[in-house]
Amino acid sequence: MQGDYRWTPSSTAQVPPASQLRIPNGCGSYFYRSVFVDWRDHAGNDGSEEVRY
C-alpha cells in the first residue's frame, strides 16, 4: 500500500538481497540497523534505497 511502513526485528534470511548487510566471518552476534525502502515507479521500474543508522 502507498506509504505503508512498519518496524520489524528480522533474521538475516529476511534481509532484502539489495541490502548492504555483510556479516563478518566468525561473528556470533551482529547488530545492523537500517531503513530499507523499495518502490515501483509509474513506468514499472523497480528501485530501492537503504539508509544505515
Side-chain angles (χ1 to χ4, degrees):
M1 180 183 290
Q2 178 74 20
D4 193 22
Y5 70 94
R6 67 183 182 274
W7 293 96
T8 307
S10 65
S11 69
T12 55
Q14 295 173 308
V15 176
S19 173
Q20 299 288 319
L21 174 65
R22 302 293 177 263
I23 300 174
N25 289 335
C27 186
S29 180
Y30 192 77
F31 292 94
Y32 183 87
R33 295 182 95 183
S34 70
V35 175
F36 193 89
V37 179
D38 59 348
W39 63 84
R40 180 167 296 147
D41 70 12
H42 65 91
N45 300 308
D46 294 325
S48 64
E49 184 77 26
E50 181 177 29
V51 179
R52 291 187 67 177
Y53 64 97

